[in-house]
Amino acid sequence: MNRLKHATSPYLQQHADNPVDWFEWGEEAFEEARRRDVPLLISVGYSACHWCHVMAHESFEDVETARLMNERFVNVKVDREERPDVDAVYMSATQAMTQQGGWPMTVFATPEGHPFYCGTYFPKPQFQRLLVGVHTAWTEDRRQVVEQGSKVVEALTGGSTLPSGPVPTAQTLTVAVENLLRSFDPVRGGFGGAPKFPPSMVLEFLLRYQGDGAVAARDMAARTLEAMARGGIYDQLGGGFARYSVDAGWVVPHFEKMLYDNALLLRVYTHWWKSSGAPLARRVAPETADWLLREMRTAEGGFASALDADSEGEEGRFYVWTPAQLREVLDPEDAAWAIELFEVTGTFEHGTSVLQLLGDPDDADRFARVRSRLMSARDQRVRPGRDDKVVAAWNGLAVAALAETGAVFERPDLVEAARQAATLLERVHLDGDRLLRTSRDGHAGRNAGVLEDYADLAEGLLALYGVTGEVRWFALADRLLEVVLSRFADGRGGFFDTADDAERLFQRPQDPTDNATPSGQFAAAGALLSYAALTGSARHREAAASALGTVSVLAAGHARFAGWGLAVAQAALAGPAEVAIVGPVDDPRTRALHRAALLADVPGMVIAVGDAQPEGPATTSAGGGAGSGVDGGTGGVRVPLLEERGLVGGAPAAYVCRGFTCRLPVTTPADLLAELAAPGAG
């Protein structure tokens, strides 16, 4: 029975024609397992996962393996990107049982969903033996199997969440920088050895950091950003970053490209340019943005989740080159020049190379011509598959990055792309005040949004408001953050990853540490802090501070897993700076002040722009509360940072504030930058 045919997940659809009788995650599978009195076999993966494809080809497409699975188990296929909650609880079990994790994840569970045997990738012969062994244990030693599942569940629900510490101080952040220095690779950039993942959130913190050792922090960031941009992990022809490097030098990537990596890195490279003026950042940020628009944008205006690593059954085939292939495309002189420039020396398999750009070309026009010809030739190759589902959280990250990059580099097309993505999320993913996690082809999936969806989208909307001055985005962020506070809070200052009315799993997931993306808790802290800075809301500010308590626990020994929390903590310690730009948005003087603020290198700064607003009552709305920016009585939207701040001598003015206490207004961009640089201004 082809149950996956109409799934919204491209990953699930990849398995629709398997001989395995797959179920989607849901009550139907559990009922069938209870009816047949057999275990569940839960297989978790995602579309861009190389080893997921390998196990699918070896085992799930094999008739004999499928027969063993169908006769003895109820088989459930899960897209970890659609159901991060399911992935999280079973990954906890897998790591507890095996001391490692990864995908594909293979879990055997009781009909109640209690895991009793876990693993990751299994070659076909080993997997077939495992199927027989688990079936034998289930039929001949049921009691021990059930007890094992119960013990696993009991252990995982015993309060293993990281404890929360005090609110981070300046010393906390200094200790974190010292911890990062100990694992920093001064030769190749990044942290630790192979494999190396882009440390996006840590880099954001290092660029923001203002305490003792700030020069060393920015040096770590700059060396890493340059090494990644010059290595094979960055697509030197088309832009965009791969998931990670298999080596310590950023040379050979695992070729899948993820939306979340590129959204986070786009924002970091833009911030690097703001803080340093580095020419490399000036090139890489717009190139990455162009890649997002060219290869990841969907017809509805959102952004797809990922590109596969494989094409034509081979990892990296689309991206790698041999000297002979370069000579086929270029004339002899250009080919020789390109072979040397791009380090085409057999860095990958079968004599192929991943293109690197270890130094700037000596002829910019020639470089542009050569790269254009190579791109045209590469476009004739079979492209990697694309997972075109739209994930709310990752699109929220893209909205923030594109809005800021578009504003900084004067690219209105990027700002418009951010606006269209936000519009799609509002139109398709929003059900009342609740978010649905995914959509595809403009149709929402059925899975509820998790904490990161609300937090990352709120972050993106507040960034988009700061760039455009369109209060609809501020109002929508207000609604989302109200759900965060009312549905996800754990009562101890932190947040669960699922809402209080979400599907009940054997464990309510709660992981405050960063992984490939900011943790939901740290993302929530960042959005709450920005909202508090725009509104003066003590409720939101206090919630942000409480959510950062885990940073103090991680800073000394595990700072790499708290990068976004550290970045938010630095913004909180800096104020953050609050800039109110008051004046007609179509007035060139208002625009000049606004642009000056957008270009300023001030950690976590928030910007409100628009006409002066009279002071309004602290009303309570569907998304508000005392100090909310949404006027529930009239349905109008007000941004408190703009209230009671008027023009100066009839001219647009900028107010630099901290904690809603403002310095004297200024009317020129130069004076605004001076105010932002003044001690105590942010």
Side-chain angles (χ1 to χ4, degrees), residues 8-23:
T8 57
S9 161
Y11 174 65
L12 266 57
Q13 289 194 354
Q14 289 171 6
H15 294 272
D17 295 323
N18 291 167
V20 177
D21 185 16
W22 290 114
F23 285 74

Side-chain angles (χ1 to χ4, degrees), residues 6-10 13 24 82 298 300 388-392 423-432 434-449:
H6 300 292
T8 57
S9 161
Q13 289 194 354
E24 286 193 66
E82 276 201 330
T298 70
E300 297 75 32
D388 58 358
K389 69 176 180 294
V390 172
V391 176
T423 300
L424 173 72
L425 293 166
E426 180 183 37
R427 178 174 57 84
V428 175
H429 288 244
L430 199 63
D431 182 8
R434 307 303 292 274
L435 276 176
L436 294 166
R437 179 163 173 84
T438 61
S439 69
R440 192 177 185 212
D441 299 329
H443 301 287
R446 58 186 177 86
N447 297 307

Side-chain angles (χ1 to χ4, degrees), residues 230 333-334 336-338 340-342 357-370:
R230 294 196 180 283
E333 289 187 359
D334 279 350
W337 185 75
E340 182 178 359
L341 180 68
F342 288 122
L357 191 65
L358 302 186
D360 291 328
D362 55 14
D363 186 332
D365 291 338
R366 187 182 195 184
F367 177 65
R369 182 181 72 249
V370 165

Side-chain angles (χ1 to χ4, degrees), residues 132-202:
V132 173
V134 171
H135 171 71
T136 300
W138 180 259
T139 55
E140 297 180 4
D141 198 2
R142 175 81 59 90
R143 176 179 294 180
Q144 183 175 343
V145 170
V146 172
E147 286 180 357
Q148 169 75 1
S150 297
K151 288 178 181 178
V152 171
V153 169
E154 182 179 356
L156 293 176
T157 55
S160 60
T161 301
L162 276 174
S164 184
V167 175
T169 64
Q171 181 60 25
T172 306
L173 305 193
T174 299
V175 167
V177 171
E178 293 169 351
N179 175 256
L180 291 168
L181 275 166
R182 287 193 287 273
S183 62
F184 178 64
D185 183 341
V187 176
R188 294 162 293 199
F191 300 90
K196 273 187 179 170
F197 291 80
S200 308
M201 292 78 76
V202 168

Side-chain angles (χ1 to χ4, degrees), residues 120-121 346:
T120 52
Y121 163 75

